[in-house]
Amino acid sequence: MSVSDRLQQLRSTSDAREGPESMAEQSRGEHAFYAAVRGLQAGFVATIIMTAFRLPILRSLPPSANFYSQYVSGGDPEDHPIAGLVLHFVYGIQAGAIFGALFALQDAERSIEPEQRGLVWGSVYGMALSAFGSQIMLKELLDIRLEADELALFHAGHLVYGLSLGAWVGSRTEGVEDPETEYEYDDGN
């Protein structure tokens, strides 16, 4: 079965291929694949949330605009706002897919609710991405040294990303069979 056929089979979280009962019927690889797809979605949403958090506070483009201008096009990062944002989303979406697959492959702590594990591991993952971003991407590749307050906001943005990512993946990858019923969306909650 091709990847496009697999993607067409994906439905809402209430689909028979997802949720706690279906996990027992799937191979570990299939579960990781579906979780990676959920991670793609989560990466997109978490990147929007992180960007909405950081833009009004820092009033600057993500460092991906610096990367684009230094390694692809030349010129000032301010000359490439769209390319910088697209690259920022590419990073966030692919990091979400990786997190989704890793989350599905983790066997420990199954007694903790998936949403709770998602929040914990998402925050750890977000901070690991932040450490990689500040030490490798900013300092080594881009030669950018952030001031203490800017660095704190850089880390806070990645924590927001990780929490959003973990909440999304945890609630949709192995959470409840039917979120509409479980979370009582019809009752206005």
Side-chain angles (χ1 to χ4, degrees), residues 13-99:
T13 307
S14 61
D15 191 338
R17 286 182 263 306
E18 297 182 10
E21 289 181 18
S22 66
M23 286 173 49
E25 299 171 10
Q26 293 175 337
S27 73
R28 194 171 163 105
E30 286 177 320
H31 182 59
F33 173 78
Y34 289 114
V37 171
R38 289 290 179 218
L40 285 171
Q41 296 168 339
F44 178 74
V45 170
T47 304
I48 289 172
I49 293 169
M50 179 174 93
T51 304
F53 170 80
R54 81 175 294 287
L55 278 179
I57 297 169
L58 292 175
R59 296 186 187 128
S60 66
L61 291 172
S64 50
N66 296 65
F67 183 88
Y68 186 82
S69 68
Q70 187 169 338
Y71 291 102
V72 178
S73 68
D76 290 330
E78 292 83 23
D79 295 340
H80 311 287
I82 302 300
L85 283 172
V86 167
L87 194 54
H88 181 66
F89 272 88
V90 168
Y91 292 159
I93 291 168
Q94 63 85 24
I98 292 169
F99 177 78

Side-chain angles (χ1 to χ4, degrees), residues 179-189:
E180 298 291 328
T181 304
E182 179 71 18
Y183 297 129
E184 301 174 4
Y185 290 140
D186 293 335
D187 295 336
N189 293 336

Side-chain angles (χ1 to χ4, degrees), residues 61-145:
L61 291 172
S64 50
N66 296 65
F67 183 88
Y68 186 82
S69 68
Q70 187 169 338
Y71 291 102
V72 178
S73 68
D76 290 330
E78 292 83 23
D79 295 340
H80 311 287
I82 302 300
L85 283 172
V86 167
L87 194 54
H88 181 66
F89 272 88
V90 168
Y91 292 159
I93 291 168
Q94 63 85 24
I98 292 169
F99 177 78
L102 291 173
F103 186 81
L105 295 175
Q106 177 207 18
D107 287 336
E109 304 171 25
R110 291 282 181 200
S111 62
I112 299 173
E113 293 292 326
E115 295 87 353
Q116 294 167 347
R117 281 189 297 117
L119 289 171
V120 169
W121 288 114
S123 62
V124 169
Y125 187 72
M127 295 314 296
L129 290 176
S130 187
F132 174 79
S134 67
Q135 296 301 309
I136 305 299
M137 297 301 292
L138 293 180
K139 284 185 180 177
E140 300 300 324
L141 288 177
L142 300 175
D143 197 31
I144 295 175
R145 307 289 190 255

